Amino acid sequence: MVLLRWTLTRTYLTSIGKTYSNSLRSAIPSSQRGIAFTMAKSYSSLLKDQAYVGGQWVSAASGETFQVTNPSSGEVLGSVPDMNAGDATKAIKIAYDAFQTWRETTAKERSLLLRRWFELIVEKKDTLAELLTVENGKPVAESLGEVNYAAVFLEWFAEEARRTYGDTIPAPAKSKRIVVVHQPVGVASMITPWNFPYAMVTRKAGAALAAGCTVVLKPSEETPLTTLAIVDLAHQAGIPAGVFNVVTCSRKNVEAVGKTLCTDPLVAKISFTGSTAVGKVLLKWGADTVKKASMELGGHAPFVVFDSADVDAAVQGAMVSKFRYMGQTCVCANRFLVQEGVYDAFCAKLEAAMAAQLKVGDGLDKGNTQGPLINTKAVEKVGTNTQGPLINTKAVEKVGTNTQGPLINTKAVEKVGTNTQGPLINTKAVEKVGTYTQGPLINTKAVEKVGTNTQGPLINTKAVEKVEAQILDAVSKGATVMTGGKRHALGGTFFEPTLLKGVTTDMLCTQQETFGPVAPVIKFKTEEEAVTIANSARVGLAGYFFSNNIGQIWRVAERMEVGMVGVNEGLVSMVEAPFGGVKESGIGVEGSKYGIHEYLNVKYICFGGV
């Protein structure tokens, strides 16, 4: 029955695009290379080797480029411009100039353009899904789910563009009238992650364009090809020149470009999805010019199972919540809290479900559900990663207890031992980090050990080292590995889905976001104890619990310190609902009727002498 429910859920996710997964960025052994290319490269027609600025495909002013590779095979997919701060400044000025006319378009005009963009994505969904799989490693079924999920944000905001209603307010004087209107904030700069390179573009840019803002977007250096492909469809849909711009850059220029996007006085709004540590840096950069900001940052989601719960339903919810895209999503369950009365039954059934339903392998093989971690470093860190991914494989190799944000580059990580909040500015700083806690593993090696490619590869080898570190720490303190616990036989960044029993709150896996396929299960006695543990994290993005006690459901739902709560449900993301967190998980929300208001200013107009 559980297997059937899991199969139906996966089919449902694929069909409506509500799958939350993180990229598969690993390298598989030489004996496995080329698997991803046995299929026809239908995605080739979507590949772009230039950035998109002012309605034109452009190169970096320096002429420099950087390569993009397939995390599963290591094969080079192509090269894109390695732009710098000067290129970003130029794009911002173009967006600012375009804003002067775009803001004057009618809501209906903007709505029709977004609707056409949506239709083009739906027409190309299969090809877009294939490109996503070869660039970030997630299973093709999940990739298709993300394409659909990305498309519906455009459909939604095409409709919301016409619903930015104002107000009339009764005035205290007979001769006055009070009117409130909403107006676009201006140029919005956006920085998107590698784990959802389609959906994060449309969730942010769809709202901004609907509101009448113009956009300058920097995609992750891991997945620029998918972003450029979807932007090409926006171009084909008729989005005017200068309204939507994309600047690409490698890790070498990421700090300079990011800082420009946050400090340029022509930028009015910053939107970022990524680690808490990096988000804090961006907020500091934007503070001098007091920019409006939306931050969707790291999570450390609790998943609570009470004695009154339907255990089978809880196991199903756990499978959906934990093992989507190899645990490399910000909202995936990271800490399992199970009441003592059902603890053993839950662990046994979860172990059986993992064995029956998870299959590790290359993302283009439709029989696989999990695939590699984004890179080898990502696998190394599944041991003790708590919040944000390290930018590259080197960054993960040495991470021991990093809890929140990724280091900006490898230099920054080289000397870090226990970085917990802020990112290291450069790659060197990352090379020595020991315990990455929240971000995804960057490469394929990280995923090689996963059983069912539903979540994606770890970002790099360092990410794998982190996963291993968390597991070793837990075992050294008394936890038992029920299944998994090591790198997959496929090699690279594949990691075996892991279940840990006998876990306690002093273990790293309960204190840090793993961003990998590890499910640590803690036993608790009382409701109060469970809520206290659940709320002990500094972050609060999502939380889940299973109970059939109606009073308990209301109490726990209200007391959980998170922005989103799943009650008897392991999947909460949908375009109609607001997506956002509390505490150090971010500022503002995306999606829903509230998302467009992140790109609007409220203006009060007083009419006198009436």
Side-chain angles (χ1 to χ4, degrees), residues 55 111 116 158-159 190 195 213 262 298 302 323 340 351 387 417 455 466 471 513 520 524 563 570:
S111 175
R116 180 54 184 154
E159 297 165 352
M190 302 176 176
N195 57 345
C213 297
C262 295
F323 296 106
E340 56 186 359
E351 180 183 6
Q387 285 191 344
Q455 293 179 346
K466 193 179 181 189
I471 294 171
E513 185 180 29
F524 71 89

Side-chain angles (χ1 to χ4, degrees), residues 9 123 129 141 279 301 364 373 554 610:
T9 299
E123 289 174 14
L364 287 178
L373 297 184
W554 277 110
V610 177

Side-chain angles (χ1 to χ4, degrees), residues 391-409:
I391 284 301
N392 57 30
T393 46
K394 290 289 186 184
V396 182
E397 284 168 350
K398 293 202 138 188
V399 177
T401 58
N402 208 22
T403 65
Q404 288 193 343
L407 301 184
I408 283 299
N409 56 30

Side-chain angles (χ1 to χ4, degrees), residues 50-92:
Q50 292 180 298
Y52 184 74
V53 178
Q56 302 293 322
W57 295 101
V58 300
S59 301
S62 66
E64 294 185 358
T65 63
F66 67 98
Q67 293 182 335
V68 182
T69 60
N70 181 325
S72 290
S73 68
E75 183 169 345
V76 175
L77 297 173
S79 297
V80 296
D82 193 0
M83 302 178 117
N84 56 30
D87 294 305
T89 299
K90 181 179 179 180
I92 291 168

Side-chain angles (χ1 to χ4, degrees), residues 284-474:
K284 289 177 181 177
W285 284 342
D288 284 345
T289 47
V290 196
K291 298 190 190 305
K292 190 178 180 75
S294 295
M295 297 278 149
E296 193 265 284
L297 308 177
H300 189 35
F303 187 105
V304 185
V305 182
F306 291 101
D307 283 345
S308 66
D310 179 332
V311 175
D312 289 333
V315 168
Q316 169 61 24
M319 293 293 292
V320 172
S321 180
K322 174 74 253 186
F323 296 106
R324 282 175 295 121
Y325 194 21
M326 284 296 295
Q328 295 182 111
T329 75
C330 55
V331 293
C332 74
N334 209 67
R335 300 168 287 157
F336 289 86
L337 311 174
V338 182
Q339 201 159 12
E340 56 186 359
V342 295
Y343 184 84
D344 289 335
F346 176 84
C347 289
K349 291 188 175 187
L350 181 57
E351 180 183 6
M354 290 170 64
Q357 302 169 27
L358 301 182
K359 182 181 178 184
V360 181
D362 184 85
L364 287 178
D365 183 342
K366 294 183 179 180
N368 295 328
T369 61
Q370 293 203 340
L373 297 184
I374 208 61
N375 55 33
T376 46
K377 294 293 183 186
V379 180
E380 290 166 355
K381 286 191 105 184
V382 173
T384 58
N385 209 19
T386 67
Q387 285 191 344
L390 296 186
I391 284 301
N392 57 30
T393 46
K394 290 289 186 184
V396 182
E397 284 168 350
K398 293 202 138 188
V399 177
T401 58
N402 208 22
T403 65
Q404 288 193 343
L407 301 184
I408 283 299
N409 56 30
T410 45
K411 292 288 186 186
V413 183
E414 283 176 289
K415 295 202 153 183
V416 179
T418 58
N419 209 22
T420 64
Q421 288 193 344
L424 298 185
I425 286 301
N426 56 31
T427 43
K428 291 288 186 187
V430 182
E431 287 173 11
K432 291 199 141 188
V433 178
T435 61
Y436 208 61
T437 65
Q438 281 194 347
L441 301 184
I442 274 305
N443 58 31
T444 44
K445 291 289 185 183
V447 186
E448 283 173 350
K449 295 207 146 181
V450 180
T452 63
N453 231 8
T454 59
Q455 293 179 346
L458 299 185
I459 279 301
N460 54 30
T461 36
K462 294 292 187 185
V464 180
E465 291 169 354
K466 193 179 181 189
V467 174
E468 292 176 322
Q470 284 194 357
I471 294 171
L472 289 172
D473 172 78

Side-chain angles (χ1 to χ4, degrees), residues 28 103 152 171 245 278 346 349 359 452 530 565:
I28 62 177
R103 68 188 302 176
V152 294
N245 309 276
V278 172
F346 176 84
K349 291 188 175 187
K359 182 181 178 184
T452 63
V565 180

Side-chain angles (χ1 to χ4, degrees), residues 183-195:
Q183 295 182 312
V185 299
V187 177
S189 65
M190 302 176 176
I191 301 176
T192 54
W194 50 262
N195 57 345

